[in-house]
Amino acid sequence: MGRLIAISNRTAADASARAGGLAVAVWESLTATGGIWFGWSGNIVEDEVGAPEVFTDEGVEFVTTDFTEAEHDGFYLQYANRVIWPVFHYRVDLAHFGHADFDIYAAVNKRIAGLVTPRLKKGDSVWVHDYHFLLMGDYLRQGGWNGPIGFFLHIPFPSPEIFKALPDHERIARAMCEYSVLGFQSTTDRSNFVRYLIENYDAVDEGDGWISVFGRKIRASAYPIGIDAEGFAKASVSERASTAASRIGRFLGGRHLVLGVDRMDYSKGLPQRFEAVGQLFDNFPSTRGVVSVTQIAPPSRSKVEEYRDLRIQLDELAGRINGDYGDLDWIPLRYLARSYDRRELAGLYRIARVCLVTPLRDGMNLVAKEYVMAQDPDDPGVLILSEFAGAAEQLSEALIVNPHDTYKVAETIYQALEMPLEERKARWEKLRDIVVEQDISWWRQKFLDDLSSDLT
Ligand code: GDG
């Protein structure tokens, strides 16, 4: 394979941003092939963007651009995060449709494509990431690039009935079909996309991932993203992890820890999860005083109104649950609206008897995989996983729940707390095997193999 050219909203230009799984995967591919990484610099300028910043680190070239205030607002805050994000997570009720925002979204895709095309050479492969750049392939083609372009969608692709609520669905779908390889997190997402094309544009599913549509053939497959499994297992026994575990251990005082770790986002099902915790204490009184639930929820996108509303809702719910069930020496539900170091999280996962991963919709959900890798093989905890997370397709040995059915979630937490060691071990070993086998390198290789088989 020749050079790899990556495009994503945020790059790992700052070396500290290379700790996350995705950033590592893209970074390693780029260092191996000596590629270029395009994205937003993270800076916002008043009204005119200057030349992009170009620099090289370990043989990888970074080309980053500022956004104007209008671009940051219309492209990022509005269209990407208040239209595509809610609709793709099945929350049409939270979407704010506005044509002006779509125009800015398209203009930013076009502007960044304009930075990329002059730097492309024969033999390069382009890899575009996520919902910010659904139109990028189209603009690269318009700029004259006819080499391979892969696209990976990190979030779900909704059912056609939901996708069609987007006023610009046809324009977006046609642009997506300009990519040579379209990657989805799960077979459900892939089927949704293909069904939309079949029902609306007489597409034909040719098998083996190939789709004929709009007079051409493209590849659309599921590539479930993985984590750096070994790295995470190591992090869970690091000194930093043990310190965090003993700090929370002091607070627990021998009680069982039930843990949740999620960006504060309405897709993660936090209000429903808190309700389920209330029902656990209501319906299973033996858990009172002996179980402590801790939810870590670093705030995100707090400039967006729906995220501020969620914060208020969670504050109220946690207050009510603690007011109703708490006692002089027991806080039933601790909710920490802040972030922790990755190794600290690993230490918390390791001592959690139960991990609650109950999003209403999630592309994959990496927390579920991290929890699995952080367990002590001799005394593993139990993963409770939403059927609506992409991860549920791979992690079927978890206790799978419908996050809307809060009574059942409460019952499942109880079942997890009561689960005998033998069953915990048997389930965990199967989960670990999958997470280790289908890790981040497996994912990257699987995607890039398909992309390179498109080299013509
Ligand atoms: C999108 C898709 C898809 C969380 N709190 C802290 C912290 N985290 C880390 C977790 C995990 C990551 O953030 C969250 O990843 P998720 O996959 O759970 O969710 P999204 O952020 O919504 O990611 C998702 C993913 O893209 C990848 O394709 O799986 O479906 O929505 O790694 O550990 N990290 C640190 N401190 C925290 O407090 N350091």
Side-chain angles (χ1 to χ4, degrees):
M1 188 171 192
R3 293 189 313 171
L4 187 67
I5 311 299
I7 308 171
S8 59
N9 186 49
R10 296 310 301 268
T11 70
D14 175 358
S16 66
R18 284 171 213 155
L22 169 70
V24 171
V26 175
W27 172 252
E28 283 175 1
S29 319
L30 290 172
T31 45
T33 62
I36 317 179
W37 197 338
F38 292 84
W40 176 34
S41 64
N43 300 326
I44 303 168
V45 295
E46 214 165 294
D47 50 21
E48 204 157 314
V49 170
E53 201 184 333
V54 182
F55 55 94
T56 303
D57 188 5
E58 292 183 42
V60 176
E61 195 175 335
F62 285 91
V63 179
T64 63
T65 176
D66 299 343
F67 284 160
T68 64
E69 276 172 11
E71 286 177 336
H72 180 252
D73 185 55
F75 163 79
Y76 182 75
L77 295 176
Q78 301 302 321
Y79 202 78
N81 284 319
R82 287 185 97 190
V83 181
I84 300 178
W85 179 274
V87 172
F88 280 39
H89 286 89
Y90 294 71
R91 293 301 302 271
V92 177
D93 58 313
L94 295 181
H96 290 255
F97 300 110
H99 281 284
D101 299 329
F102 179 74
D103 293 346
I104 297 182
Y105 177 82
V108 170
N109 273 251
K110 188 174 181 183
R111 183 166 78 72
I112 295 182
L115 300 176
V116 179
T117 25
R119 290 174 168 87
L120 292 176
K121 290 191 211 146
K122 198 170 161 40
D124 287 348
S125 298
V126 184
W127 194 6
V128 181
H129 286 269
D130 227 358
Y131 62 102
H132 312 91
F133 295 128
L134 294 166
L135 309 178
M136 183 62 69
D138 191 15
Y139 288 121
L140 293 174
R141 298 285 183 226
Q142 286 181 29
W145 174 250
N146 53 21
I149 318 177
F151 175 81
F152 186 75
L153 183 66
H154 290 257
I155 67 175
F157 191 87
S159 64
E161 294 74 15
I162 299 274
F163 182 59
K164 286 172 80 174
L166 267 181
D168 303 292
H169 65 88
E170 180 172 351
R171 167 91 166 79
I172 290 174
R174 282 183 182 272
M176 286 175 76
C177 292
E178 293 292 342
Y179 289 111
S180 336
V181 176
L182 277 163
F184 297 93
Q185 296 273 30
S186 69
T187 57
T188 304
D189 300 325
R190 191 248 176 208
S191 312
N192 284 339
F193 181 69
V194 174
R195 183 158 72 86
Y196 168 85
L197 294 179
I198 292 174
E199 288 174 2
N200 295 283
Y201 306 104
D202 297 326
V204 178
D205 191 341
E206 309 273 7
D208 202 24
W210 291 98
I211 313 289
S212 294
V213 67
F214 304 131
R216 58 185 164 273
K217 260 180 134 183
I218 57 167
R219 246 186 141 133
S221 294
Y223 306 87
I225 195 167
I227 62 165
D228 170 13
E230 275 177 29
F232 210 84
K234 277 198 196 124
S236 74
V237 289
S238 64
E239 208 179 310
R240 192 101 189 239
S242 313
T243 310
S246 42
R247 277 182 69 196
I248 202 169
R250 284 200 292 279
F251 159 79
L252 290 168
R255 295 184 176 99
H256 285 310
L257 174 63
V258 174
L259 181 70
V261 175
D262 306 77
R263 257 188 327 100
M264 199 184 287
D265 191 292
Y266 50 77
S267 63
K268 304 292 182 185
L270 295 172
Q272 291 78 358
R273 191 180 304 171
F274 285 11
E275 292 287 359
V277 167
Q279 293 185 13
L280 171 75
F281 298 129
D282 250 348
N283 299 319
F284 302 92
S286 64
T287 58
R288 291 185 204 158
V290 298
V291 171
S292 191
V293 180
T294 292
Q295 174 66 50
I296 298 191
S300 72
R301 303 178 196 164
S302 42
K303 285 187 186 154
V304 177
E305 190 183 313
E306 290 72 31
Y307 289 76
R308 292 200 298 265
D309 293 348
L310 174 66
R311 170 82 204 241
I312 294 166
Q313 193 186 1
L314 293 178
D315 289 350
E316 279 176 15
L317 268 171
R320 174 166 67 71
I321 289 168
N322 286 327
D324 283 351
Y325 302 99
D327 210 337
L328 296 176
D329 56 355
W330 176 50
I331 303 170
L333 171 64
R334 276 212 316 174
Y335 139 65
L336 305 167
R338 51 159 291 183
S339 66
Y340 288 85
D341 180 89
R342 179 171 159 273
R343 288 157 300 174
E344 292 179 319
L345 284 185
L348 301 184
Y349 289 139
R350 192 169 176 92
I351 64 158
R353 171 52 76 85
V354 178
C355 185
L356 292 175
V357 179
T358 56
L360 304 181
R361 287 283 159 190
D362 219 329
M364 174 54 56
N365 196 295
L366 299 180
V367 168
K369 295 183 174 182
E370 292 166 358
Y371 178 70
V372 168
M373 288 320 298
Q375 294 313 293
D376 174 354
D378 295 327
D379 186 21
V382 181
L383 174 64
I384 298 184
L385 180 59
S386 163
E387 63 181 293
F388 305 120
E393 282 190 3
Q394 292 166 296
L395 306 183
S396 55
E397 284 299 319
L399 297 181
I400 305 290
V401 292
N402 172 351
H404 300 283
D405 188 352
T406 53
Y407 178 82
K408 186 77 186 158
V409 174
E411 199 179 66
T412 308
I413 300 173
Y414 184 71
Q415 181 196 345
L417 289 164
E418 294 286 302
M419 191 182 284
L421 178 62
E422 231 165 86
E423 184 181 350
R424 279 193 274 134
K425 274 188 179 168
R427 285 179 181 271
W428 173 76
E429 279 163 15
K430 290 191 184 134
L431 293 172
R432 181 211 44 205
D433 289 351
I434 292 278
V435 178
V436 168
E437 187 200 311
Q438 302 187 351
D439 69 353
I440 189 78
S441 314
W442 170 88
W443 169 78
R444 174 183 64 145
Q445 209 49 55
K446 190 168 149 69
F447 189 92
L448 294 181
D449 282 350
D450 281 358
L451 188 60
S452 62
S453 73
D454 185 69
L455 285 171
T456 42

